[in-house]
Amino acid sequence: MSLVAIVGRPNVGKSTLFNRLVGQRKAIVDATAGTTRDRHYGKTDWNGREFSVIDTGGYSVNSEDIFEDDIRRQVMLAIEEADVILFLVEVNTGITDLDLMMADILRRTSKKVILVCNKVDNYDLIYSSHEFYSLGLGEPYCISSMSGSGTGDLMDEILRHLPEEQPREEENLPRITIVGRPNVGKSSMTNALLGEERNIVTPIAGTTRDAIHSRYNKYGLDFYLVDTAGMRKKGKVTEDLEFYSVMRSIRAIEESDVCILMLDAQQGLESQDLNIHNLIVRNRKGCVIVVNKWDLVEKGNNTMKEWKEFLAKKLAPFNDIPIIFTSVLNKQRILEVLQTAIRVYESRKRRVATSALNDFMLPLIENYPPPATKGKYIKIKYVMQLPTPTPQFAFFVNLPQYIREPYRRFLENKLREEWDFSGVPIQIYFRQK
């Protein structure tokens, strides 16, 4: 899926434009505990074409002062990862030194850069936008992200420059992607799986940029393994690195069926891990968690049981995920990781017959009915799996508005227990009968 990045100096309206492009209904804004700023990532569609949008707002400033190095890193990351870059400027302030600096960087890239002049709220301000021609990035698209004026023409221009969607090869084979923070063992995992018998690895031409797709065909398993180990390594995790990792992860996750989320047993669970987990859940992909470097942990301090309880609490509400403790260096439990990923892939495709669903769920609901609300008796009469690529279920009920979240989780847990949806996000909808 194509990726559009919004860049610009602070306070030009990047987040407002982001919300305008993706719409409140489709916006995905994950406020992850323990981090300093929200991550803004969403999907949108225009004239039948779907693409992702990421807002770089908030990543360039990490102190009271605006550092040129931070702005420069933000732009370079967007150039490296995005297909189309929206360079946002603001008509009332005019051209600033930061605008000039960013324009100088953007003029050097081969990526399509669309100059967007924001806050053009009336016809007279269009004349003021003409000074932005001097940035050397072509005609500015005059918009008001607050009112939506001009954004339709902007979306048309974005579509004209998105790369053509490539049909996925070998649709019948699973696509398993290894994701995670830098230096958790993704490269080592890939090398351990592919290194000894490279003659059976078939590289795929024309794959998504910055991800290595390899055909894996051993031990009765046949799938595409996607390695995203090319994330940058820095001396420490800084905001620009986390933003970079999110952009990489978006591409990799959207193309996959199952994601192997690798954690470092010594470093524990960090905010960046939670952010990647959120991306997996939002995109409805299968998930297997691998706690790597388990051989380096002093067993007296942490046990597998304690780790699983800790992860279940942190990853709630979607915490029904297989967890495997590995030492990639010692090739410990490597095959189990793959076998589990394939099992999750099969579960994600599982179709449950309507008769089987009703035979199991309706007696259960009769014994444990939803609690009455405001004196209203709630009756669930029928359940079916929807014809969607991932598991989604519709419960037909007389008063769907009165069913509360705890009961929805109860039904989801029973579905998971009976049909083994471990590692697979599932959606439940309550519809009027």
PDB file of all heavy atoms in Angstrom, residues 242-265:
ATOM      1  N   GLU A 242      12.209   6.281  16.459  1.00  0.00           N
ATOM      2  CA  GLU A 242      10.910   5.639  16.679  1.00  0.00           C
ATOM      3  C   GLU A 242       9.969   5.943  15.519  1.00  0.00           C
ATOM      4  O   GLU A 242       9.257   5.069  15.033  1.00  0.00           O
ATOM      5  CB  GLU A 242      10.311   6.105  17.998  1.00  0.00           C
ATOM      6  CG  GLU A 242       9.018   5.400  18.340  1.00  0.00           C
ATOM      7  CD  GLU A 242       8.713   5.459  19.816  1.00  0.00           C
ATOM      8  OE1 GLU A 242       9.536   5.979  20.581  1.00  0.00           O
ATOM      9  OE2 GLU A 242       7.644   4.986  20.193  1.00  0.00           O
ATOM     10  N   PHE A 243       9.983   7.169  15.043  1.00  0.00           N
ATOM     11  CA  PHE A 243       9.160   7.540  13.903  1.00  0.00           C
ATOM     12  C   PHE A 243       9.572   6.752  12.672  1.00  0.00           C
ATOM     13  O   PHE A 243       8.743   6.251  11.914  1.00  0.00           O
ATOM     14  CB  PHE A 243       9.313   9.044  13.658  1.00  0.00           C
ATOM     15  CG  PHE A 243       8.661   9.530  12.398  1.00  0.00           C
ATOM     16  CD1 PHE A 243       7.338   9.251  12.139  1.00  0.00           C
ATOM     17  CD2 PHE A 243       9.375  10.270  11.473  1.00  0.00           C
ATOM     18  CE1 PHE A 243       6.729   9.701  10.986  1.00  0.00           C
ATOM     19  CE2 PHE A 243       8.780  10.719  10.316  1.00  0.00           C
ATOM     20  CZ  PHE A 243       7.455  10.430  10.072  1.00  0.00           C
ATOM     21  N   TYR A 244      10.872   6.617  12.465  1.00  0.00           N
ATOM     22  CA  TYR A 244      11.390   5.849  11.335  1.00  0.00           C
ATOM     23  C   TYR A 244      10.914   4.397  11.416  1.00  0.00           C
ATOM     24  O   TYR A 244      10.475   3.820  10.428  1.00  0.00           O
ATOM     25  CB  TYR A 244      12.916   5.914  11.358  1.00  0.00           C
ATOM     26  CG  TYR A 244      13.613   5.158  10.262  1.00  0.00           C
ATOM     27  CD1 TYR A 244      13.884   5.782   9.047  1.00  0.00           C
ATOM     28  CD2 TYR A 244      14.012   3.840  10.425  1.00  0.00           C
ATOM     29  CE1 TYR A 244      14.531   5.100   8.032  1.00  0.00           C
ATOM     30  CE2 TYR A 244      14.655   3.157   9.422  1.00  0.00           C
ATOM     31  CZ  TYR A 244      14.919   3.794   8.230  1.00  0.00           C
ATOM     32  OH  TYR A 244      15.554   3.115   7.225  1.00  0.00           O
ATOM     33  N   SER A 245      10.997   3.807  12.616  1.00  0.00           N
ATOM     34  CA  SER A 245      10.578   2.424  12.787  1.00  0.00           C
ATOM     35  C   SER A 245       9.094   2.253  12.502  1.00  0.00           C
ATOM     36  O   SER A 245       8.676   1.246  11.929  1.00  0.00           O
ATOM     37  CB  SER A 245      10.890   1.957  14.215  1.00  0.00           C
ATOM     38  OG  SER A 245      12.260   2.061  14.482  1.00  0.00           O
ATOM     39  N   VAL A 246       8.291   3.239  12.901  1.00  0.00           N
ATOM     40  CA  VAL A 246       6.858   3.167  12.631  1.00  0.00           C
ATOM     41  C   VAL A 246       6.602   3.173  11.130  1.00  0.00           C
ATOM     42  O   VAL A 246       5.796   2.397  10.609  1.00  0.00           O
ATOM     43  CB  VAL A 246       6.126   4.334  13.322  1.00  0.00           C
ATOM     44  CG1 VAL A 246       4.693   4.424  12.837  1.00  0.00           C
ATOM     45  CG2 VAL A 246       6.156   4.156  14.830  1.00  0.00           C
ATOM     46  N   MET A 247       7.294   4.039  10.398  1.00  0.00           N
ATOM     47  CA  MET A 247       7.098   4.103   8.945  1.00  0.00           C
ATOM     48  C   MET A 247       7.488   2.786   8.288  1.00  0.00           C
ATOM     49  O   MET A 247       6.813   2.294   7.383  1.00  0.00           O
ATOM     50  CB  MET A 247       7.907   5.256   8.364  1.00  0.00           C
ATOM     51  CG  MET A 247       7.430   6.621   8.828  1.00  0.00           C
ATOM     52  SD  MET A 247       8.289   7.978   8.022  1.00  0.00           S
ATOM     53  CE  MET A 247       7.422   8.049   6.477  1.00  0.00           C
ATOM     54  N   ARG A 248       8.615   2.229   8.717  1.00  0.00           N
ATOM     55  CA  ARG A 248       9.024   0.923   8.186  1.00  0.00           C
ATOM     56  C   ARG A 248       7.978  -0.143   8.499  1.00  0.00           C
ATOM     57  O   ARG A 248       7.621  -0.967   7.679  1.00  0.00           O
ATOM     58  CB  ARG A 248      10.371   0.520   8.805  1.00  0.00           C
ATOM     59  CG  ARG A 248      11.573   1.150   8.130  1.00  0.00           C
ATOM     60  CD  ARG A 248      11.924   0.362   6.873  1.00  0.00           C
ATOM     61  NE  ARG A 248      12.920   1.075   6.101  1.00  0.00           N
ATOM     62  CZ  ARG A 248      14.224   0.876   6.193  1.00  0.00           C
ATOM     63  NH1 ARG A 248      14.694   0.029   7.071  1.00  0.00           N
ATOM     64  NH2 ARG A 248      15.057   1.543   5.414  1.00  0.00           N
ATOM     65  N   SER A 249       7.513  -0.128   9.757  1.00  0.00           N
ATOM     66  CA  SER A 249       6.579  -1.161  10.195  1.00  0.00           C
ATOM     67  C   SER A 249       5.251  -1.070   9.460  1.00  0.00           C
ATOM     68  O   SER A 249       4.626  -2.094   9.175  1.00  0.00           O
ATOM     69  CB  SER A 249       6.347  -1.056  11.708  1.00  0.00           C
ATOM     70  OG  SER A 249       7.553  -1.236  12.404  1.00  0.00           O
ATOM     71  N   ILE A 250       4.802   0.147   9.156  1.00  0.00           N
ATOM     72  CA  ILE A 250       3.541   0.308   8.435  1.00  0.00           C
ATOM     73  C   ILE A 250       3.590  -0.456   7.124  1.00  0.00           C
ATOM     74  O   ILE A 250       2.685  -1.238   6.794  1.00  0.00           O
ATOM     75  CB  ILE A 250       3.256   1.801   8.175  1.00  0.00           C
ATOM     76  CG1 ILE A 250       2.864   2.497   9.479  1.00  0.00           C
ATOM     77  CG2 ILE A 250       2.138   1.969   7.146  1.00  0.00           C
ATOM     78  CD1 ILE A 250       2.789   4.006   9.355  1.00  0.00           C
ATOM     79  N   ARG A 251       4.640  -0.229   6.353  1.00  0.00           N
ATOM     80  CA  ARG A 251       4.764  -0.905   5.056  1.00  0.00           C
ATOM     81  C   ARG A 251       4.784  -2.418   5.228  1.00  0.00           C
ATOM     82  O   ARG A 251       4.079  -3.144   4.527  1.00  0.00           O
ATOM     83  CB  ARG A 251       6.049  -0.459   4.358  1.00  0.00           C
ATOM     84  CG  ARG A 251       5.949   0.913   3.736  1.00  0.00           C
ATOM     85  CD  ARG A 251       7.118   1.111   2.783  1.00  0.00           C
ATOM     86  NE  ARG A 251       7.014   2.382   2.110  1.00  0.00           N
ATOM     87  CZ  ARG A 251       6.253   2.608   1.055  1.00  0.00           C
ATOM     88  NH1 ARG A 251       5.488   1.655   0.573  1.00  0.00           N
ATOM     89  NH2 ARG A 251       6.222   3.800   0.482  1.00  0.00           N
ATOM     90  N   ALA A 252       5.614  -2.885   6.139  1.00  0.00           N
ATOM     91  CA  ALA A 252       5.782  -4.331   6.298  1.00  0.00           C
ATOM     92  C   ALA A 252       4.499  -4.998   6.791  1.00  0.00           C
ATOM     93  O   ALA A 252       4.093  -6.042   6.285  1.00  0.00           O
ATOM     94  CB  ALA A 252       6.931  -4.614   7.266  1.00  0.00           C
ATOM     95  N   ILE A 253       3.845  -4.385   7.770  1.00  0.00           N
ATOM     96  CA  ILE A 253       2.656  -4.983   8.373  1.00  0.00           C
ATOM     97  C   ILE A 253       1.500  -5.032   7.382  1.00  0.00           C
ATOM     98  O   ILE A 253       0.779  -6.032   7.288  1.00  0.00           O
ATOM     99  CB  ILE A 253       2.273  -4.216   9.656  1.00  0.00           C
ATOM    100  CG1 ILE A 253       3.304  -4.493  10.752  1.00  0.00           C
ATOM    101  CG2 ILE A 253       0.877  -4.605  10.131  1.00  0.00           C
ATOM    102  CD1 ILE A 253       3.183  -3.582  11.951  1.00  0.00           C
ATOM    103  N   GLU A 254       1.301  -3.964   6.623  1.00  0.00           N
ATOM    104  CA  GLU A 254       0.175  -3.928   5.684  1.00  0.00           C
ATOM    105  C   GLU A 254       0.299  -4.995   4.606  1.00  0.00           C
ATOM    106  O   GLU A 254      -0.707  -5.439   4.052  1.00  0.00           O
ATOM    107  CB  GLU A 254       0.076  -2.547   5.045  1.00  0.00           C
ATOM    108  CG  GLU A 254      -0.439  -1.483   5.994  1.00  0.00           C
ATOM    109  CD  GLU A 254      -0.574  -0.123   5.341  1.00  0.00           C
ATOM    110  OE1 GLU A 254       0.048   0.107   4.278  1.00  0.00           O
ATOM    111  OE2 GLU A 254      -1.301   0.710   5.892  1.00  0.00           O
ATOM    112  N   GLU A 255       1.515  -5.431   4.299  1.00  0.00           N
ATOM    113  CA  GLU A 255       1.725  -6.422   3.250  1.00  0.00           C
ATOM    114  C   GLU A 255       1.675  -7.854   3.766  1.00  0.00           C
ATOM    115  O   GLU A 255       1.753  -8.797   2.985  1.00  0.00           O
ATOM    116  CB  GLU A 255       3.090  -6.186   2.580  1.00  0.00           C
ATOM    117  CG  GLU A 255       3.177  -4.892   1.783  1.00  0.00           C
ATOM    118  CD  GLU A 255       2.295  -4.922   0.550  1.00  0.00           C
ATOM    119  OE1 GLU A 255       2.178  -6.003  -0.062  1.00  0.00           O
ATOM    120  OE2 GLU A 255       1.703  -3.874   0.215  1.00  0.00           O
ATOM    121  N   SER A 256       1.571  -8.057   5.068  1.00  0.00           N
ATOM    122  CA  SER A 256       1.746  -9.388   5.642  1.00  0.00           C
ATOM    123  C   SER A 256       0.420 -10.046   6.011  1.00  0.00           C
ATOM    124  O   SER A 256      -0.632  -9.412   6.037  1.00  0.00           O
ATOM    125  CB  SER A 256       2.643  -9.305   6.882  1.00  0.00           C
ATOM    126  OG  SER A 256       2.028  -8.524   7.872  1.00  0.00           O
ATOM    127  N   ASP A 257       0.490 -11.339   6.271  1.00  0.00           N
ATOM    128  CA  ASP A 257      -0.636 -12.083   6.833  1.00  0.00           C
ATOM    129  C   ASP A 257      -0.457 -12.279   8.336  1.00  0.00           C
ATOM    130  O   ASP A 257      -1.402 -12.155   9.110  1.00  0.00           O
ATOM    131  CB  ASP A 257      -0.773 -13.445   6.154  1.00  0.00           C
ATOM    132  CG  ASP A 257      -1.102 -13.334   4.678  1.00  0.00           C
ATOM    133  OD1 ASP A 257      -2.097 -12.678   4.345  1.00  0.00           O
ATOM    134  OD2 ASP A 257      -0.351 -13.886   3.852  1.00  0.00           O
ATOM    135  N   VAL A 258       0.768 -12.636   8.724  1.00  0.00           N
ATOM    136  CA  VAL A 258       1.098 -12.858  10.134  1.00  0.00           C
ATOM    137  C   VAL A 258       2.387 -12.109  10.443  1.00  0.00           C
ATOM    138  O   VAL A 258       3.324 -12.117   9.642  1.00  0.00           O
ATOM    139  CB  VAL A 258       1.277 -14.361  10.447  1.00  0.00           C
ATOM    140  CG1 VAL A 258       1.691 -14.561  11.901  1.00  0.00           C
ATOM    141  CG2 VAL A 258      -0.005 -15.126  10.161  1.00  0.00           C
ATOM    142  N   CYS A 259       2.432 -11.458  11.594  1.00  0.00           N
ATOM    143  CA  CYS A 259       3.627 -10.736  12.028  1.00  0.00           C
ATOM    144  C   CYS A 259       4.254 -11.441  13.230  1.00  0.00           C
ATOM    145  O   CYS A 259       3.547 -11.774  14.190  1.00  0.00           O
ATOM    146  CB  CYS A 259       3.291  -9.297  12.405  1.00  0.00           C
ATOM    147  SG  CYS A 259       2.698  -8.310  11.019  1.00  0.00           S
ATOM    148  N   ILE A 260       5.545 -11.656  13.152  1.00  0.00           N
ATOM    149  CA  ILE A 260       6.306 -12.156  14.288  1.00  0.00           C
ATOM    150  C   ILE A 260       6.911 -10.937  14.968  1.00  0.00           C
ATOM    151  O   ILE A 260       7.834 -10.312  14.447  1.00  0.00           O
ATOM    152  CB  ILE A 260       7.408 -13.140  13.845  1.00  0.00           C
ATOM    153  CG1 ILE A 260       6.785 -14.369  13.177  1.00  0.00           C
ATOM    154  CG2 ILE A 260       8.277 -13.541  15.029  1.00  0.00           C
ATOM    155  CD1 ILE A 260       7.807 -15.303  12.557  1.00  0.00           C
ATOM    156  N   LEU A 261       6.366 -10.563  16.109  1.00  0.00           N
ATOM    157  CA  LEU A 261       6.844  -9.398  16.849  1.00  0.00           C
ATOM    158  C   LEU A 261       7.924  -9.852  17.818  1.00  0.00           C
ATOM    159  O   LEU A 261       7.652 -10.576  18.778  1.00  0.00           O
ATOM    160  CB  LEU A 261       5.690  -8.727  17.593  1.00  0.00           C
ATOM    161  CG  LEU A 261       6.046  -7.567  18.532  1.00  0.00           C
ATOM    162  CD1 LEU A 261       6.807  -6.476  17.790  1.00  0.00           C
ATOM    163  CD2 LEU A 261       4.801  -7.007  19.196  1.00  0.00           C
ATOM    164  N   MET A 262       9.147  -9.414  17.560  1.00  0.00           N
ATOM    165  CA  MET A 262      10.279  -9.842  18.378  1.00  0.00           C
ATOM    166  C   MET A 262      10.558  -8.823  19.475  1.00  0.00           C
ATOM    167  O   MET A 262      10.608  -7.615  19.226  1.00  0.00           O
ATOM    168  CB  MET A 262      11.519 -10.052  17.511  1.00  0.00           C
ATOM    169  CG  MET A 262      11.371 -11.186  16.519  1.00  0.00           C
ATOM    170  SD  MET A 262      12.931 -11.696  15.766  1.00  0.00           S
ATOM    171  CE  MET A 262      13.785 -12.421  17.177  1.00  0.00           C
ATOM    172  N   LEU A 263      10.741  -9.330  20.694  1.00  0.00           N
ATOM    173  CA  LEU A 263      11.094  -8.523  21.850  1.00  0.00           C
ATOM    174  C   LEU A 263      12.458  -8.949  22.361  1.00  0.00           C
ATOM    175  O   LEU A 263      12.894 -10.079  22.130  1.00  0.00           O
ATOM    176  CB  LEU A 263      10.053  -8.671  22.967  1.00  0.00           C
ATOM    177  CG  LEU A 263       8.582  -8.479  22.595  1.00  0.00           C
ATOM    178  CD1 LEU A 263       7.707  -8.716  23.823  1.00  0.00           C
ATOM    179  CD2 LEU A 263       8.327  -7.100  22.029  1.00  0.00           C
ATOM    180  N   ASP A 264      13.103  -8.063  23.089  1.00  0.00           N
ATOM    181  CA  ASP A 264      14.392  -8.352  23.711  1.00  0.00           C
ATOM    182  C   ASP A 264      14.146  -8.684  25.176  1.00  0.00           C
ATOM    183  O   ASP A 264      13.652  -7.843  25.933  1.00  0.00           O
ATOM    184  CB  ASP A 264      15.316  -7.138  23.579  1.00  0.00           C
ATOM    185  CG  ASP A 264      16.741  -7.439  24.033  1.00  0.00           C
ATOM    186  OD1 ASP A 264      16.907  -8.111  25.063  1.00  0.00           O
ATOM    187  OD2 ASP A 264      17.687  -6.984  23.357  1.00  0.00           O
ATOM    188  N   ALA A 265      14.485  -9.920  25.580  1.00  0.00           N
ATOM    189  CA  ALA A 265      14.205 -10.360  26.946  1.00  0.00           C
ATOM    190  C   ALA A 265      14.949  -9.529  27.977  1.00  0.00           C
ATOM    191  O   ALA A 265      14.492  -9.394  29.116  1.00  0.00           O
ATOM    192  CB  ALA A 265      14.580 -11.840  27.099  1.00  0.00           C
TER     193      ALA A 265
END
